[in-house]
Amino acid sequence: AFFWLVSLLLASLIWFISVHLSDQENARLQFSLLVFGAAVSVLLQELFRFAYFKLLKKADEGLAMISEDGRSPISLKQMAYVSGLSFGLISGVFSVINILADSMGPGIVGIHGDSPYYFITSAFLTMALVFLHTFWGVIFFDACEKRRYWCLGLVVASHLVTSGLTFLNPWYEASLVPIYIITICMGAWAFFTAGGSFRNVLKCLSCKRQEDSRVMMYSALRVPFED
Amino acid sequence: MITFTNNSDSEEEPCNERTSLMSAESPPVPSYQDGLQASEAGEAQTHRKRRTGSSRSPNNAANGSTSGLSVPVRESAVENEEEELTLKYGAKHVIMLFVPVTLCMIVVVATIKSVRFYTEKNGQLIYTPFSEDTPSVGQRLLNSVLNTIVMISVIVVMTVFLVLLYKYRCYKFIHGWLILSSLMLLFLFTYIYLGEVLKTYNVAMDYPTLVLIIWNFGAVGMICIHWKGPLQLQQAYLIMISALMALVFIKYLPEWSAWVILGAISIYDLMAVLCPKGPLRMLVETAQERNEPIFPALIYSSAMMWTVGMAKPDTAARGPSQQMWDTAEDGRVNHRSPSHSNSEILETRSPGATHPVTSLEELEEEERGVKLGLGDFIFYSVLVGKAAATASGDWNTTLACFVAILIGLCLTLLLLAVFKKALPALPISITFGLVFYFSTDNLVRPFMDTLASHQLYI
C-alpha cells in the first residue's frame, strides 16, 4: 500500500506540475493532460510493483537464510497475492472512499446531466479494480520470477487498457463489460499461474479427504511408568 | 503544575509525554537467572539487557546473562536461534503494535468526523501563548514557531524535573503526580467527551446515570492502569486515554503550530535518544541501576508474562509485567525524555526453553512483547486526527497519513530488531506522516478529484 501511495504521489506531482505549467483555460488541453497523468500513474504503479517485488525477493532470501530448514516461512506466491491485494485495496479505497462519504450526504445524483448510475458503477468499477490488482500482482510476481517478460508487458498493457476503458465512462456498456471480461481473464490466468488446475478445483469441490499416505504403527509397548 | 486556561485543561501533556518509556523495569535478574547471574553485577546487567539474542559477537562476552543464556558457553550455539527468534517475533511485535495504534487512530478520527466540538476553536493552551489570528503569513509562521519553542521547552523542563525527582528518590511525588494526571484524564476528560458525544447525537442522559458511568469507568481505569488488571482492559484504557489526550491536542493547538510542533517533537525525540546526555537516558540508567520498574502507567505493553505452576523460588520471584522490560534496556535506551513516552523497548527474551532449569510445570505465556510509550500513540493520533479535521481532501489524506505512520512504525520496529536497543518511535513515522499529509493534500487531492469527476480509474 505504501508503495502504491508513493507511486500515486509521484504521478500526481508530475500531473500537478504539468497542469500548472500549461494553459489552465483550455479544456481540451487539460483533459489530455489528465489522460497523460493517468497513463503516467499506471506506469509508475507497475514500476513500483516491480520495485516491491525486488524488495520482497531480497527479504525472502534473508528469511530463507535465517530459517531452520532453509526455506522462508512465506512463499513467494503468498507474497505476490498479498502484494496484489494490498495494491488493489489501497487503490480501490482511494478511488471510492470520497464517493462513499459523499453518498451519505444530501444530494441528487446526476442532477447536472451526468449519469444517475454514478454510485453503482463506481462501486462495480472499484470491485473490478481491486480484483484486477490482485490478479496482476500474482501474475506479475510470477513473471518476474520466471523472467517471462512478455507476461510483464501483457500485465502493464492490460492495466493501461483498463484505465483507458474507464475513459469511456459514462458509456457504461463499453467500459464496464470489457473491464469485467478482462477481470475474468486475468483471474483465470492468475489461477493457473498460481498452480491451480481443473483437478484442484474438482478436488476442492468434492470435499474428499486426502488419504494419508503415512503408515501409522501402533505398538502395544509403552514406556513404563516410573514405579 | 497543572494550569488551566480558558476551557481547556491542558495539564498533563507534560505528564503524559513524560511518560515515555522509562521502562527500565529491569526484571529481577538474579532470581531469574538462577544464581548464575548472581555474580554478575550492575553493568553486566545493563549489557545484558541490550541484546537478547544478539548475534553480534562482541556482546556475547558481556552478554552472559541474556535472557536465558546464562551459560556463556552456550551462547554461540544459541546465537543463531536467538536471532531467528528475534526476527520471527519481530513480525509479531509489529502486528501487536499495529492493532492498538490503529484503534487509537480510529477512535480519534471517528470522533473528529462526528463530534464538531473537537474541531471548533475555543481558545488555546497556556503552552502555546501566541495567537495565530494574524493577517500576515510571516507573522503567523513566526507565531507558530514561537509556540513550538515554548511547548518544547516546557516539555524539556518537565522532563528534567521528573528525572531529578526520580534521581533523588521522590517517588511519592512522582506517583502522586501520575495519579493526579490520570485521574484528570479518566474523569474530567471523559466527562467532557461523553458530554460532547451525547450532544452530537442528541441523546439525553440524566446526571445519576452519568455519575455512575463516569465513576465506574474512572475507578476501574485507575485500578487497571496503576495497579493490576486484565491485560486487555489495561491496554484498552491506555488507548482511550491516549485518544482523549490526542483530541485535546487537536482541539487546542492552533493550526500551524500543531504541524510545527509535530515536526519539532520528532526531531527532539531523535536527539534525545541519540545524545548520551539526555535526561531520559539518565532516568533509565538510574532505574536500571536500582533495578526498579519505571512508572507503569505511561507505557503501553503488548504482552505480559505469567508464571504459573510449581512455585520455584527463583521463578516465582518473577513478577508479572516486569519481565517485559528485559531487553533493550541497556545503556542506550532511548526512552525519549519522558515528555514523549515514545521510546520503545523491544523485549525479546528467549523463551524458557533455553533455560536449563525450566520446569515443565511452568506455564509461560508469551513473554515477548513490545512496549510503546503513550506519547507515541498520542502524537500519531494527533497527526491523523489533524489530517482528518483540516484536510480538504478528506478521507484520502487521512488514509495516506495512516498508512505512512504504520509504515514508519514498521521501519522503526525493524530497526529495533536490528539494533536491539530502545529507539524513538516518533521520527520516522511523523516524518512520513507529515510528508504524506502535505503532499496528498496539495498534489494528490486535485488529481484524484479531477479523475473522480470524470469517473476515471487509474
Side-chain angles (χ1 to χ4, degrees), chain A residues 2 5 8-9 12-13 15-16 41 66 68 93-95 97-98 101 118 121-122 125-126 163 166-167 169 172, chain B residues 83-84 87 393-396 399-400 403 407 432 436 439 442-444 446-448 450 452 454-458:
Chain A
F2 182 69
L5 277 177
L8 181 65
L9 200 73
S12 342
L13 181 66
W15 176 80
F16 194 75
S41 162
I66 295 183
E68 306 170 328
V93 164
F94 255 62
S95 308
I97 191 106
N98 278 330
Y118 187 79
T121 49
S122 293
L125 273 174
T126 313
S163 181
T166 57
F167 280 79
N169 282 333
Y172 292 127
Chain B
E83 187 177 315
E84 179 188 328
L87 279 177
D394 270 358
W395 293 95
N396 278 350
L399 276 172
V403 172
I407 293 289
F432 278 0
F436 269 79
S439 52
N442 297 317
L443 297 175
V444 176
F447 187 47
M448 292 304 285
T450 325
H454 295 275
Q455 211 174 10
L456 302 177
Y457 280 74
I458 49 168

Side-chain angles (χ1 to χ4, degrees), chain B residues 57-120:
Chain B
S57 29
N59 271 8
N60 285 340
N63 220 2
S65 53
T66 341
S67 38
L69 293 183
S70 29
V71 183
V73 175
R74 302 167 58 159
E75 274 170 28
S76 49
V78 296
E79 217 177 279
N80 230 7
E81 263 179 52
E82 293 279 338
E83 187 177 315
E84 179 188 328
L85 282 164
T86 307
L87 279 177
K88 242 205 268 181
Y89 283 100
K92 218 170 166 188
H93 293 145
V94 173
I95 307 295
M96 284 202 275
L97 280 185
F98 270 16
V99 175
V101 171
T102 310
L103 277 177
C104 193
M105 288 193 214
I106 287 178
V107 170
V108 170
V109 171
T111 311
I112 294 273
K113 288 283 184 191
S114 52
V115 179
R116 257 183 299 116
F117 172 73
Y118 287 103
T119 39
E120 293 162 3

Side-chain angles (χ1 to χ4, degrees), chain A:
Chain A
F2 182 69
F3 276 66
W4 188 89
L5 277 177
V6 176
S7 82
L8 181 65
L9 200 73
L10 290 175
S12 342
L13 181 66
I14 295 176
W15 176 80
F16 194 75
I17 293 176
S18 71
V19 161
H20 275 254
L21 288 179
S22 71
D23 174 23
Q24 302 239 354
E25 299 306 315
N26 189 345
R28 277 195 69 85
L29 180 64
Q30 293 301 313
F31 191 72
S32 48
L33 276 181
L34 195 64
V35 174
F36 167 69
V40 164
S41 162
V42 167
L43 292 173
L44 276 175
Q45 281 177 44
E46 296 302 325
L47 183 70
F48 272 83
R49 206 198 294 268
F50 182 70
Y52 192 57
F53 167 76
K54 282 275 171 224
L55 183 71
L56 281 184
K57 199 93 175 49
K58 270 223 172 77
D60 195 37
E61 285 164 8
L63 279 175
M65 266 198 309
I66 295 183
S67 82
E68 306 170 328
D69 49 2
R71 285 179 309 134
S72 86
I74 315 176
S75 78
L76 200 65
K77 291 212 164 71
Q78 283 172 316
M79 286 200 237
Y81 170 70
V82 170
S83 141
L85 185 65
S86 66
F87 261 57
L89 275 177
I90 191 75
S91 154
V93 164
F94 255 62
S95 308
V96 94
I97 191 106
N98 278 330
I99 298 176
L100 273 180
D102 287 338
S103 74
M104 282 207 313
I108 302 178
V109 189
I111 196 169
H112 286 293
D114 299 307
S115 158
Y117 302 117
Y118 187 79
F119 286 147
I120 190 83
T121 49
S122 293
F124 275 112
L125 273 174
T126 313
M127 180 174 86
L129 204 66
V130 173
F131 277 134
L132 275 172
H133 269 287
T134 315
F135 301 146
W136 283 329
V138 172
I139 300 171
F140 194 95
F141 275 46
D142 189 67
C144 283
E145 184 74 14
K146 302 206 174 105
R147 299 187 188 282
R148 287 200 211 132
Y149 293 118
W150 61 274
C151 284
L152 270 186
L154 209 55
V155 164
V156 176
S158 66
H159 194 166
L160 281 168
V161 164
T162 310
S163 181
L165 279 172
T166 57
F167 280 79
L168 292 176
N169 282 333
W171 186 20
Y172 292 127
E173 297 85 359
S175 68
L176 265 184
V177 173
I179 288 183
Y180 268 86
I181 293 176
I182 295 181
T183 311
I184 295 174
C185 294
M186 288 287 146
W189 188 5
F191 179 69
F192 289 115
T193 311
S197 67
F198 287 126
R199 192 176 289 190
N200 280 351
V201 174
L202 285 175
K203 235 200 276 186
C204 179
L205 287 175
S206 68
C207 302
K208 248 194 280 204
R209 228 185 296 164
Q210 214 181 21
E211 276 174 21
D212 204 340
S213 52
R214 288 170 293 181
V215 179
M216 278 221 299
M217 301 274 293
Y218 181 82
S219 168
L221 289 172
R222 278 178 298 174
V223 177
F225 291 117
E226 307 294 332
D227 290 339

Side-chain angles (χ1 to χ4, degrees), chain B residues 234-251:
Chain B
Q234 186 188 33
Q235 291 173 338
Y237 269 105
L238 289 174
I239 292 175
M240 280 190 267
I241 65 177
S242 309
L244 284 174
M245 201 61 224
L247 284 168
V248 164
F249 271 138
I250 294 173
K251 181 173 171 65

